[in-house]
Structure formats: C-alpha cells, structure tokens
Amino acid sequence: MAVNNNEDKKVLVDVKNLTIQFGSHRHPFTAVDNASFQIYKGETFGLVGESGSGKTTIGRAIIRINPTAGGEIIYDGKKINGKISKELDREVTQKIQMIFQDPMASLNERAKVDYIVAEGLLNLPKKLTKEERQREVSEALNSVGLLPEFASRFPHEFSGGQRQRIGIARAMVMRPEFIIADEPISALDVSIRAQVLNLMAKFQREYDLTYLFISHDLSVMRFICDRICVIHKGVLVELAETEELFAHPTHPYTQALLSAIPMPDPVKEKKKVLKVYDRSCHDYSVDKPSWREIRPSHFVWANDPEFEKYKEEQCVE
C-alpha cells in the first residue's frame, strides 16, 4: 500500500492522550490509558495486540461508538470526540466508516442487501431519489465483485467472504476518506483473506483512502501496513515503520508477539524459542515510563533505566 514521503505527510487523525473507561464512576475500568498517535493521510496504520488489549476500543472511539473519558481525537483539524455539532457529526459519519470483524453479526439478518448498503445514504444531507440510491448500491456491489442482483437477497444466503464484501460495500458507498478495519479477515477462510486484502489495497489506490487496520496477526500486518503500533492492556508500548519494527523489535511484549509468528520452515519452527512476556519485568514504582524515540521514527514506552538497556541491546545487534 502507498507510503507518503516524509516531507509531504498530512496528519489526518491525531489521537492525543486518549483515555477510555467503562463501568461506574466509582469503580471505573480503564480500557485505554493515555494513548497518543497520529495517522497520516493515504497510509495504512496498524494497531496490533492480543484480545482485550484495547485496540478495537480505540477504533470504536474514533468513529464515536465508544465515549471517551479523557484526551482528544482530532480528525482533519477538528475535534470529534465528546459533544459536537450535528453538522460535524454528519460529516464524521460520512467521512469515517468501519469494517467490522464478524461479517454476519455486523449485518442486519432481517434486512435485504440493498437496504443494508443504502442505509447510510438515507442520512446524508443531500437526499437521493430511490433510483439514485439503487444506482449507488449497484455500483458499490459491483466494485467489491458482487452482482447487482444480489441486492434482493438476505445476508444468510451468502458465504463469509461475500458477507465481508457486503460490509466493505456498505462502507464504500458513503465515499469515505478514512476506514477503520477491525480484524476484517480474521473470520474468513485463508483462501478468501488475500482477496479481501487485495480489494482493500485496490480501493486505497483508486480513492486515496486512509486505513486504521486493527489485528492480532502480525504476519498480515507486515503485508498491508506502513506503520505498526503495538498495544498491551490499554497502553501503547511501541510504534515504528513496519520493516523497522520487524528488524528491531525493542519492547519485550513486541518481541513476544513476533516470536509467536509461525515459520514456514518446519525445522526452524521446531527449533525456535517462544518468548513469554511478563509484566513484572518492569519496575515503574519510582521511575515512571514515557514515550521515547529510540531510533528515527521508532518509539518505545520505557523509563530511563529501560531505555538505556534497550539502546545497549540494539548496539549489540
């Protein structure tokens, strides 16, 4: 996918000190703690972590499904979290779309495909006629490789890959600028995954789309992402360009994730040593951690002693 040159990068999404909490005010559970990152226009930004790490929670906060407890989400120079005007809310709805993880659960099983894909168009300021909506739906289905006559069917009549294509068509019919893809291929057969990824890459080239790609699978991330941010228990621990992260993983949690990637060579797979991440290896009781640049555009969450240790390890390499 396309990578912007350093000198002409435009920040499309700017997440600043984002905190997301659930539960009561007396006993809140902090799902995301003080997260900050930027997504540049035209890039694919990856957010990776194990189940329950908070990556989907961040994506849902950006699209305004989850409320935020602190921090700011800036989209194209405008703050979009918290209370915003109806006009800005409509603009966000049109410009930011989401592809959900489970293609069956995210589609209304009682609605036909034409209504599912066209539903977003009903909320646009410019009201379309029935014929115009049908034309938009047909074009969207055709763009994802589905026949226009599929519009009269129900979701349960399709395979998993076809249902995910319907989900992509529903997002694309709004002509968005930014798409949050929440594990869009994890529920699909291996043979279908490449088709969906190639389809997303095609749309990015044709429409200059920006993606936030959420996944737990680093091998997929390496194929599709320009930069990757690693999250653990609601805290961002490392951020770097994709190949830089794979070549110089610094944080112990990132190293543990990379060590778990299966190797195609059965001999090497048998000999490899899995790294297990233990949070007790960090002592933040006195010296608190912060976001630090260990190599150009490569950031890691560490305190002073850890940062010096990481730099020494990089020198040894």
Side-chain angles (χ1 to χ4, degrees):
M1 289 196 172
V3 184
N4 293 349
N5 295 323
N6 289 337
E7 59 270 16
D8 56 22
K9 283 182 178 177
K10 177 193 173 185
V11 176
L12 184 66
V13 181
D14 192 359
V15 175
K16 299 179 180 178
N17 308 116
L18 181 66
T19 299
I20 302 170
Q21 295 178 332
F22 297 105
S24 65
H25 289 292
R26 281 189 172 186
H27 305 287
F29 168 72
T30 302
V32 176
D33 189 11
N34 205 32
S36 298
F37 59 88
Q38 294 179 328
I39 301 175
Y40 302 119
K41 185 170 176 57
E43 80 166 339
T44 300
F45 183 90
L47 195 55
V48 66
E50 61 192 271
S51 297
S53 59
K55 53 191 188 297
T56 296
T57 303
I58 291 176
R60 286 171 171 261
I62 294 173
I63 204 169
R64 295 180 54 78
I65 295 174
N66 288 340
T68 58
E72 292 182 321
I73 301 172
I74 311 294
Y75 179 79
D76 201 13
K78 299 172 185 173
K79 181 174 178 288
I80 61 170
N81 62 317
K83 289 185 178 180
I84 60 174
S85 66
K86 282 187 178 180
E87 292 76 19
L88 181 56
D89 190 39
R90 244 190 218 133
E91 185 182 333
V92 169
T93 302
Q94 188 264 311
K95 290 185 175 178
I96 304 177
Q97 287 291 306
M98 192 164 188
I99 301 169
F100 295 91
Q101 178 176 357
D102 186 344
M104 192 61 199
S106 63
L107 302 178
N108 183 352
E109 61 185 35
R110 296 189 178 188
K112 291 183 178 179
V113 169
D114 59 350
Y115 178 80
I116 290 171
V117 175
E119 189 174 7
L121 298 173
L122 300 173
N123 298 314
L124 291 178
K126 181 189 173 186
K127 299 301 178 184
L128 302 177
T129 64
K130 186 178 179 181
E131 291 73 24
E132 287 173 330
R133 282 201 308 273
Q134 287 177 339
R135 188 168 61 249
E136 291 283 345
V137 170
S138 295
E139 287 178 7
L141 290 175
N142 187 56
S143 70
V144 297
L146 295 176
L147 296 173
E149 48 263 39
F150 287 178
S152 60
R153 297 186 186 177
F154 291 93
H156 70 265
E157 299 179 61
F158 297 92
S159 67
Q162 288 175 321
R163 286 197 292 263
Q164 193 61 290
R165 286 169 182 263
I166 293 168
I168 295 172
R170 176 176 60 181
M172 291 303 301
V173 79
M174 299 295 288
R175 309 281 165 87
E177 298 175 343
F178 177 55
I179 290 181
I180 300 163
D182 181 15
E183 306 235 24
I185 61 170
S186 64
L188 305 179
D189 293 337
V190 174
S191 59
I192 306 299
R193 291 182 178 189
Q195 294 178 24
V196 173
L197 291 176
N198 288 334
L199 184 63
M200 292 173 65
K202 170 177 169 278
F203 284 141
Q204 186 172 45
R205 288 192 303 270
E206 291 178 358
Y207 303 109
D208 193 26
L209 288 175
T210 305
Y211 286 120
L212 168 59
F213 195 91
I214 297 168
S215 180
H216 63 274
D217 191 337
L218 271 165
S219 56
V220 171
M221 290 287 210
R222 190 172 194 174
F223 171 73
I224 202 168
C225 295
D226 299 316
R227 291 187 301 145
I228 295 176
C229 185
V230 182
I231 183 171
H232 177 69
K233 303 286 187 187
V235 177
L236 305 184
V237 297
E238 193 161 359
L239 168 62
E241 291 185 0
T242 301
E243 289 308 316
E244 165 70 17
L245 189 79
F246 275 79
H248 304 284
T250 302
H251 196 276
Y253 179 65
T254 308
Q255 294 174 355
L257 284 181
L258 288 172
S259 76
I261 297 176
M263 302 178 80
D265 187 333
V267 177
K268 289 182 179 178
E269 176 68 20
K270 196 173 180 181
K271 289 181 179 177
K272 83 173 181 184
V273 179
L274 278 173
K275 294 187 177 181
V276 179
Y277 176 60
D278 183 4
R279 293 181 75 186
S280 65
C281 69
H282 307 290
D283 181 10
Y284 296 148
S285 55
V286 178
D287 197 345
K288 301 300 180 185
S290 61
W291 207 227
R292 301 161 187 251
E293 189 171 21
I294 194 163
R295 293 164 65 90
S297 301
H298 187 159
F299 299 89
V300 65
W301 182 253
N303 59 16
D304 287 333
E306 282 181 333
F307 190 65
E308 294 304 318
K309 178 189 165 193
Y310 294 157
K311 283 204 292 188
E312 287 174 15
E313 288 173 352
Q314 300 246 335
C315 291
V316 170
E317 290 175 13

